[in-house]
Amino acid sequence: MSGYIAITDIHGEYEKLESLLGKIKAKDDDIFVFMGDYIDRGAKSKQVVDRIIKQSETNKCIYLIGSHEYAMMHYNQDDYYRFLFENYGGPSTVKSYGSFENIMKTHGEFYKNLKFYYKTDKYLFVHAGINPDYPLDKQIETDFVYIRGKFIYSPHNLPQKIIFGHTDFKEPYIDEYKIGIDLGCGKYPNARLCGLILRDNCEKEFVYSD
């Protein structure tokens, strides 16, 4: 049966991405949902973005925005986001592209078209989460990319199970309402990149990079 393949928080770790993709036996009608934080920290942000774009040649792909892309896109508009980009791995992204200007010259359309979430009947894919106090259409966009504890440790009222990243765990976080699949790739040297395969029959499988 076809399904969804969720991957998040790659953080420039191109080799781990290739390792993970090599272990995923995707079907032609599977949909990849890349959930943000492709850049920063690791040395190969440009190569990571090239690779996930290339995945669209064989499968439908959905690309979401993460906190690091959000900070980068607001770099020239707000000193706070400039600080975040410069202090949480941005220089490695600039180096991988050759200059800050080259980021938008090379992948500008990709970054501009990133979505905040992707919703199906059964799942809501989002980088960080949602504010459980508000309906989906009343969310503040920064919560989609930055929220942590209030979302993770609270129930929500949506009919979908939420698949998220952003907050790292040693193993996938699973409760009745949500599944978190950020294992700290790019943040910790030995952290694995995790992929979550969701089939129509509600089966789920976690796949890990070397």
Side-chain angles (χ1 to χ4, degrees), residues 28-139:
D28 291 344
D29 55 352
D30 281 340
I31 298 172
F32 280 78
V33 186
F34 294 99
M35 296 160 47
D37 279 10
Y38 317 112
I39 63 170
D40 296 352
R41 295 180 175 152
K44 297 183 177 180
S45 292
K46 177 184 178 296
Q47 292 92 323
V48 164
V49 175
D50 281 334
R51 181 63 183 86
I52 64 174
I53 291 173
K54 183 177 177 61
Q55 191 63 36
S56 67
E57 296 175 5
T58 56
N59 291 87
K60 179 179 178 179
C61 293
I62 305 296
Y63 305 105
L64 306 185
I65 189 169
S67 55
H68 287 251
E69 290 83 29
Y70 192 89
M72 182 184 73
M73 295 297 286
H74 291 80
Y75 180 88
N76 290 319
Q77 303 170 30
D78 189 299
D79 288 343
Y80 174 67
Y81 294 114
R82 180 185 292 262
F83 171 84
L84 291 181
F85 183 76
E86 292 178 347
N87 288 275
Y88 289 89
S92 67
T93 299
V94 172
K95 186 175 181 180
S96 77
Y97 279 92
S99 69
F100 188 87
E101 290 70 26
N102 280 346
I103 296 173
M104 297 307 291
K105 287 179 182 177
T106 306
H107 289 140
E109 288 305 306
F110 171 82
Y111 290 119
K112 290 175 184 176
N113 286 296
L114 295 176
K115 304 176 185 299
F116 281 102
Y117 63 87
Y118 177 64
K119 185 176 68 169
T120 73
D121 290 342
K122 296 179 180 178
Y123 305 106
L124 176 74
F125 300 87
V126 63
H127 178 67
I130 64 168
N131 187 326
D133 293 338
Y134 300 98
L136 191 59
D137 61 352
K138 301 296 184 183
Q139 296 285 318

Side-chain angles (χ1 to χ4, degrees), residues 109-179:
E109 288 305 306
F110 171 82
Y111 290 119
K112 290 175 184 176
N113 286 296
L114 295 176
K115 304 176 185 299
F116 281 102
Y117 63 87
Y118 177 64
K119 185 176 68 169
T120 73
D121 290 342
K122 296 179 180 178
Y123 305 106
L124 176 74
F125 300 87
V126 63
H127 178 67
I130 64 168
N131 187 326
D133 293 338
Y134 300 98
L136 191 59
D137 61 352
K138 301 296 184 183
Q139 296 285 318
I140 299 171
E141 66 180 28
T142 51
D143 280 336
F144 290 128
V145 293
Y146 286 110
I147 199 168
R148 293 189 191 272
K150 186 172 187 178
F151 159 70
I152 295 168
Y153 302 113
S154 302
H156 62 77
N157 295 317
L158 297 180
Q160 292 86 2
K161 179 161 286 191
I162 298 181
I163 314 301
F164 71 100
H166 185 59
T167 299
D168 60 272
F169 302 91
K170 290 183 178 180
E171 299 293 338
Y173 175 89
I174 305 171
D175 68 24
E176 180 182 353
Y177 302 93
K178 61 190 82 71
I179 301 175

